[in-house]
Amino acid sequence: MSEGIPLFPLSFEVNGRAVELEIEPQESLAEVLRNRLNLTGTKVSCEVQVCGACTVLVDGLPVSACTFLAYEARNKKVLTIEGLAAPDGTLHPLQQAFVDESAFQCGFCTPGMILAARALLEERPLPTEEEIRASMDGNICRCTGYLPIVHAIQKAAQALRSRS
Amino acid sequence: MSEKKREFYVVNHSVPRGDGVAKVTGQAKYASDVVLPGMAYAKLLRSPYAHARILSIKVGEAEAQPGVFAVLTGDRLEGLNPYYGHAVKDHPVLAMGKVRYVGEPVVAVVAVDERTAFQALDHITVQYEEMPAVLSVEQALAKGAPILHERTFAAGGFRGFEADVSAGRGTNICQEAHVTWGDADKAFAEAAAVVEGEYYYPMAYAYAMEPYVCVAEVNESGVTCYSSCQHPFIVRHDVAGVFNLPVSKVRLVVPFVGGGYGSKSYTKIEPLTAACAWKARRPVKLQLSVEEAVLTTRSDDALVRERTAVDAQGKLLARQATIYLNTGAYAENSPLVCEKAANRAAGPYRIPNARIDCYGVYTNTAPASSFRGFGSAQVTLAAESQIDEIAEKIGQDPLAFRLANVAERGEVFFPKSRPLDGDLKSDLKKVADLLGWDKPLPKGKGRAVGCTASDAGAYPVTSAAVRVHGDGSVSVLTGSTELGQGSHTIVAQIAAEEIGVPFEKVRVVGSDTAITPFDRSTGASRTTTLMGRAVLEACQDAVSQMRAMAADVLRCPVEEVTLMRGGVQRGADRLDWSQVLARYFGLPDGEVLGRAYLRKAGDLSQLPVFWELGCLGVQVSVDEETGRVHLEKLAVVGDVGLAINPALAEGQDLGAATMGMGIGLYEELIYDGEQLVNNSLLDYRVPRFSDLPEELHLALTENQDGVGPYGAKGGGEGSLNPISSALVNALYRATGVRLRRVPLLPERVWRALRDARHGRESCPAPTKQDAKSRREAG
Ligand code: FES
Ligand code: FES
C-alpha cells in the first residue's frame, strides 16, 4: 500500500455480517469490497458512474460502488450480489428469473443489474414495462439487447408477489 | 452433415445456460477477478504524441519509489523478440524508438499495488521529437506522406488468408484486397440505370464491459497468462514467439470473459503483461480502464465509393466499389478485415459483374481490429443503401427488388465459394410479414429491410475431447472461450444428446491451452458450427469405443451390440455406459476418451465454412423538430440451420442488432486532430434500456442446411451488419432525405432535413461539433 497515508477504521455491515476494517480515505466501496473483502461479484467497468455494473445496495438504495467512497458506507448496511440468495443457497426470485429468461450472456453487467432491479421492486413491487425501462436506464448491458432482462424482472415481480 | 435427425432430447431445446447460477450469484470468475500469491500490478505511461521519435526515457526516479519492483521500456526487452502480430509482426511490446499514436504504451511500471504504480508514472521523463503525423486515410495516401512503418515485416502465422502482406513496402498501405468477376466497366457502359455515391461508416468501440485484463506469471515452467481473450491459442503463439518458447511452455487460461464482440480477438496486452512479470520476477496484473481499452482496439472506419447498375428488366448487372479502411497505427487483424470487407461488399445478390478494391491504411490513430461482423457492417451501409436507391430509380419497391435479385439457396453467388447455404428469399419475406410491410404508415415514419451474407467460420481447424467417466457423467474439453454467447452451454447440450446423459451430468472444461485441445479461434461465429461438430464427432468416437468395450464384456461380435440412449443392448441385456465401463475396467471407475480433429477437408474443404446471413427489418419514426430518429419496430430472422439452443440463438440476434443500432444512431469515436476525444462512457453513448424498440420480433429459420452439428451454422453477427443501412433507408422513406453516413445523430438529421427544405444536398464530413451533439443526444 502507498506509504504515508493514514489508515482509518471503517465499520459497516456487509451481507448481514458486521465488518471492521482499516482503509485509506480515498478507497471506493468497490475497491474495498473487491480487494479487501474478496467479494469480486461486484464488477467494475466504466468507473465514471455511467454503466451500473458496480451497483450495490447501501441501506437498500442502489449506489455506484466505483465512485462511492467506502467511508460513506460507515455504520450502514451493504448488500452485494453474494448476499442475495438465501443462506441455504436458494436463489432470490430475481436471480432465478434471470437464469430462466436467459437475461444475460457474458454476465458482467448481471450483479449490478440484479441489485438495481431489486431496489426497483422494493419500491414498486409490480412495475409496468415502461417503469422498468425508465428505472433501469442507468444500467448498461452490452450483450442482450435488454428485452430478456425486462422479462426477467417482470417474472420475478410475479414470483415475489405470489410468495408474499 | 445435414442428416435429418430423429427427435431431439436436449439439442434444439432452450435449456437454461450452464453458467447461469455462477453468473447470477457473483461466483463466476473473470480474468479481472484473478489474484495470484505475491502478485504485483502494472500501470502504463502512454504517448502524448501521434508520431514522434523517442529521444530518451528517464526512469531512475520512478524505480527508486518505495513499492516499485520494475520499470520496463522498449529498450529493456533484450532477450525477448519485441515484435508480435498474428497477421503482420509489426506490433512492439512497448514503443521501440518511436511512437505511432496518442495513447501508445511507452513505459510500464510494476509495483506493489495499482496506486503506487500509477503514482510512479509521474516520476518518468520521456523526451520526444515530434514528427509529422497522418491522421486520416487521405493524408496517409497523399504523395510524400510520412510513413508509419519504415521496414517490411514477417507475415504472422495466423493471417487467415493467403494474399501477400503489403505492410511496410514504402507506403502506408497495410493490406489491399481486390475481387473481380465479369467485366464491370462494360456492364456499367451498357446499364439501363446506375446509382453512385460515397458513404462513411464510423470508427466504433465494442465496449466489452470488462476492459482488457491479463494476469501473467513467468517461471521455470514457462509463461502462464490468465487473460480476457477470445483466441487463447493464437495468443499462445504470439507469446511463445516473444519469449522464444515452445508452445507447450506457454499457457493461456481464459476464465469467463466479460464480453468480446470481436474486440478481444487476437493478442492485446498479454505479451506486455508477461514481459512485466518477467522483468519484475513475480506475477503481474495489468488491468486496463475503459479509456485505455478504446486506445487498444477500435473498429476500422470506412470510406466507400460505390456504384450499382441494373439492366432494363430490373436485374442487377454490376457493382463496383473502392473501400478505404482506417487501420490505425498497427495491423492487428485489419488485414483480414480488409479481405473480408472486399468479399462482402457486393452483397448476397446475383450480380454478373463486379470489381471491388479495398485498402487498409495505416494512420497515426489507435489500432483498429476485428469488431463483430468485421468488414461487413462497414461495406453494407453503402451496398444496401444503393439497393434501395437503385430500386427507387427504376420505380420498384425495395423489397420486391431484393426478392428478384437476391441469391437463391444453393446458388454460387460469389466465385469459387460454397453455394449459398441459407434461404434469404424466404427470410426476407418473413421479415416483411413481421414488419407489416404493406400496411400504410403516417408521415414521419418509414420502414426498410436489409440482408447480408458474410463468408464466416474462419479457417476450419478445431479439435475437441470428450471424457466419459466411470459413473456415466461427461466432461467436455473445449478450446472455445465462453464470451457470453453460450458456447459452453451448447457443447454440453450436444454431448448430452450424443452420449445420452442428462444435461446436468455434463461439465464443460473451458479454454486452457495446457489442457484443452487446439481450437483456432472463437470468432467469425464459428463455434457452434466447428466446435459443435468437433464435440459431436468426439462423442461419436467415445460411443463407438464404448460399444466395442460392451462387445468385449458381453463376449460377442460388435455388430450384435446395438446402441440405445445412454448405453447398449443385446437381446434382453441392457447396459448403461457406467455399467459398460465398470465391467470393462473391473473397477467402479475408469474412463473413455473420445476425440475429434476437424480440418479443411471433406465437406469442410470449401470455404467459407458457412455463409452467415443477416436479415432484418426496421420501422423508424423521425421527429422533424429535433432530428431524432427512433427505432420503434425491429424484426430479425436468424437463418441458423438448426438452433442448438433457440433462446440463445435469438439472444445473439437481438444483441447484435442492438449493437448495430447503436452505431446506426449514436455511436462514433471522434478524433479531434491527434486526440481521441470521446474515449469514455460519459461521451461515448451506447444503447440503453430506453432505446429498446417498442415492438420486437425475433424468428428463426431452421432448414438444417449448415455443415455444423445437425445442420447447424453460426449466428451472432448477422443482424448487426444490415441495420445501419436499414435505418438510413427507413429515414429516407420517412422523410425523403438520404444520409450516406451514420450515426444518424439528431443534429445531423436535423441539418439534412433543413437543407432538403432549402434544396441542398447534405452529407457533412465529421466535425468536432459531432462529438458535442452526440453528448447532447445522450
Ligand atoms: S463501474 Fe461504476 S458505474 Fe460503471
Ligand atoms: S450480459 Fe454481457 S454486458 Fe450484460
Side-chain angles (χ1 to χ4, degrees), chain B residues 298-311:
Chain B
R298 58 171 177 88
S299 71
D300 292 77
D301 50 317
L303 183 74
V304 181
R305 295 197 188 104
E306 181 146 353
R307 39 183 199 146
T308 300
V310 288
D311 66 14

Side-chain angles (χ1 to χ4, degrees), chain A residues 26 43 45 105-106 133 146, chain B residues 23 30 33 207 209 687 692:
Chain A
Q26 78 286 3
K43 297 300 179 218
S45 179
Q105 292 176 22
C106 78
R133 290 180 186 215
Y146 300 107
Chain B
K23 285 181 173 172
Y30 298 77
D33 303 327
Y207 185 39
M209 290 191 74
L692 186 57

Side-chain angles (χ1 to χ4, degrees), chain B residues 320-381:
Chain B
Q320 192 250 313
T322 310
I323 304 155
Y324 296 99
L325 298 171
N326 176 354
T327 293
Y330 295 102
E332 292 251 347
N333 200 38
S334 282
L336 190 61
V337 175
C338 176
E339 188 96 346
K340 292 293 181 188
N343 291 348
R344 296 166 179 184
Y349 298 99
R350 190 178 315 112
I351 307 176
N353 308 284
R355 189 172 76 238
I356 314 290
D357 302 289
C358 185
Y359 303 89
V361 181
Y362 285 127
T363 63
N364 292 109
T365 60
S369 193
S370 314
F371 186 107
R372 202 173 198 167
F374 58 99
S376 181
Q378 284 94 330
V379 295
T380 297
L381 173 63

Side-chain angles (χ1 to χ4, degrees), chain A residues 1-3 5 24 26-28 31 34-35 38-54 80-85 89 91-92 94-111 113-114 129-130 132-150 153, chain B residues 15-17 19-21 23-30 32-35 41 66 112-116 119 205-211 256-259 261 285 287-291 371-372 482-485 645 647-648 651-652 654-656 658-659 662-663 667 680-682 684 686-696 698:
Chain A
M1 299 295 141
S2 309
E3 306 265 301
I5 300 175
E24 294 176 18
Q26 78 286 3
E27 280 184 74
S28 71
E31 287 175 310
R34 287 181 55 85
N35 303 342
N38 205 17
L39 293 170
T40 54
T42 301
K43 297 300 179 218
V44 174
S45 179
C46 72
E47 299 177 276
V48 287
Q49 223 180 320
V50 172
C51 75
C54 62
T80 74
I81 193 68
E82 289 91 345
L84 192 58
L91 296 181
H92 183 275
L94 268 165
Q95 292 171 310
Q96 189 60 51
F98 268 64
V99 173
D100 295 342
E101 293 296 315
S102 289
F104 51 85
Q105 292 176 22
C106 78
F108 209 74
C109 69
T110 309
M113 201 62 88
I114 289 177
E129 180 162 343
E130 241 162 65
I132 293 174
R133 290 180 186 215
S135 141
M136 297 296 293
D137 210 36
N139 284 73
I140 290 172
C141 173
R142 196 57 160 156
C143 293
T144 60
Y146 300 107
L147 187 69
I149 302 178
V150 173
I153 295 173
Chain B
V15 303
R17 302 177 61 105
D19 54 10
V21 173
K23 285 181 173 172
V24 299
T25 55
Q27 302 310 315
K29 288 279 179 265
Y30 298 77
S32 41
D33 303 327
V34 169
V35 176
Y41 297 80
V112 62
D113 58 27
E114 286 194 303
R115 202 162 272 131
T116 307
Q119 285 166 351
Y205 166 46
Y207 185 39
M209 290 191 74
E210 179 192 38
F256 284 116
V257 177
Y261 326 109
K285 180 181 215 163
Q287 168 77 67
L288 300 192
S289 65
V290 162
E291 283 80 352
F371 186 107
R372 202 173 198 167
E482 177 54 88
L483 312 169
Q485 83 283 40
N645 186 315
L648 293 184
Q652 283 288 299
L654 177 58
T658 305
M659 193 166 245
I663 301 172
E667 289 183 36
S680 149
L681 260 267
L682 289 168
Y684 187 86
V686 301
R688 302 195 292 236
F689 272 94
S690 51
D691 301 309
L692 186 57
E694 283 77 12
E695 207 184 310
L696 240 168
L698 301 171

Side-chain angles (χ1 to χ4, degrees), chain B residues 83 89-90 100 147-154 167-170:
Chain B
Y83 286 91
K89 287 186 184 291
D90 65 352
R100 294 183 178 83
I147 301 293
L148 269 83
H149 298 278
E150 295 85 357
R151 63 180 190 87
T152 52
F153 301 103
R169 301 222 174 135

Side-chain angles (χ1 to χ4, degrees), chain B residues 654-670:
Chain B
L654 177 58
T658 305
M659 193 166 245
M661 171 195 76
I663 301 172
L665 295 182
Y666 25 70
E667 289 183 36
E668 177 175 24
L669 289 172
I670 301 283

